[in-house]
């Protein structure tokens, strides 16, 4: 089981209507491919968690990163994991306005750390990123997401 997490910058065209259409199509595809995960869309920022078999995750991300509705995709986690965090959710969605204050802070930490990693990867930032991502993902474990 693989988990891939990336950050990207949404283009302005990714507004609510377009987003909900995209989510519906993405959920159909993810269900067929046994992919589960989460998409957070906060202003211009997207953070997506994709979990599933290695090939399914690779194919899904390859399609997503070519999508013109966002840019600057940066993988911030890609590794084997013992199990899914988003069982039953082909693509859970959380809008930025619905994030809890702690989650907004975790997201800001992740973005800052990603910027440092892109400029100059260090072990301490890699470790920090794992800690931030774990905290963010754990905060969704109750899964009241839509
Ligand atoms: C932020 C973002 C997240 C996306 N997530 C998924 C996803 O999880 N699964 C999926 O099938 N498509 C997702 N898409 C849509 C894909 O990029 C792509 O448009 C869609 O899979 C259709 O691809 P195709 O035209 O090559 O068949 C996402 C697009 C964006 C902009």
């Amino acid at each position: 089981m693989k988990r891939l997490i990336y950050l990207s910058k949404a283009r302005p065209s990714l507004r609510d209507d377009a987003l909900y259409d995209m989510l519906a199509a993405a959920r159909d595809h993810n269900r067929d491919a046994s992919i589960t995960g989460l998409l957070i869309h906060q202003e211009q920022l997207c953070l997506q968690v994709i979990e599933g078999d290695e090939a399914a995750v690779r194919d899904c991300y390859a399609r997503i990163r070519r999508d013109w509705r966002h840019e600057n995709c940066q993988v911030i986690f890609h590794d084997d994991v013992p199990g899914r965090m988003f069982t039953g959710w082909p693509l859970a969605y959380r809008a930025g306005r619905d994030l809890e204050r702690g989650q907004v802070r975790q997201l800001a930490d992740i973005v800052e750390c990603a910027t440092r990693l892109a400029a100059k990867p260090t072990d301490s930032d890699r470790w920090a990123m794992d800690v931030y991502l774990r905290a963010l993902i754990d905060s969704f474990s109750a899964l009241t997401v839509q």
Side-chain angles (χ1 to χ4, degrees):
M1 175 74 37
K2 286 276 180 199
R3 180 178 301 138
L4 183 151
I5 308 178
Y6 74 85
L7 287 174
S8 68
K9 182 167 174 260
R11 290 195 202 260
S13 54
L14 200 62
R15 289 265 156 69
D16 282 358
D17 282 2
L19 188 80
Y20 290 124
D21 288 348
M22 186 280 282
L23 279 177
R27 283 172 177 151
D28 284 346
H29 172 270
N30 291 0
R31 216 174 271 116
D32 289 347
S34 297
I35 284 176
T36 51
L38 167 75
L39 175 65
I40 299 174
H41 180 219
Q42 187 203 38
E43 292 165 19
Q44 285 196 309
L45 180 76
C46 294
L47 181 148
Q48 184 169 5
V49 181
I50 306 170
E51 327 175 300
D53 288 347
E54 182 166 10
V57 169
R58 190 182 49 235
D59 292 353
C60 186
Y61 179 65
R63 260 180 308 110
I64 293 173
R65 66 179 302 218
R66 285 197 303 265
D67 198 308
W68 54 272
R69 291 169 289 192
H70 65 166
E71 58 192 341
N72 300 345
C73 288
Q74 181 185 357
V75 174
I76 53 175
F77 182 91
H78 188 195
D79 212 345
D80 291 314
V81 287
R84 294 177 191 266
M85 288 294 299
F86 296 95
T87 306
W89 294 91
L91 186 53
Y93 174 67
R94 179 58 60 90
R97 59 180 173 272
D98 297 327
L99 291 171
E100 290 162 10
R101 195 179 301 177
Q103 292 171 328
V104 171
R105 207 173 34 241
Q106 282 150 4
L107 211 47
D109 286 339
I110 287 168
V111 170
E112 255 184 52
C113 193
T115 307
R116 289 197 302 271
L117 282 171
K120 185 170 181 286
T122 62
D123 283 346
S124 69
D125 278 331
R126 279 194 205 98
W127 179 82
M129 181 62 96
D130 282 352
V131 172
Y132 295 146
L133 288 172
R134 166 64 46 191
L136 181 69
I137 290 183
D138 282 351
S139 76
F140 284 97
S141 60
L143 267 187
T144 48
V145 280
Q146 306 150 12

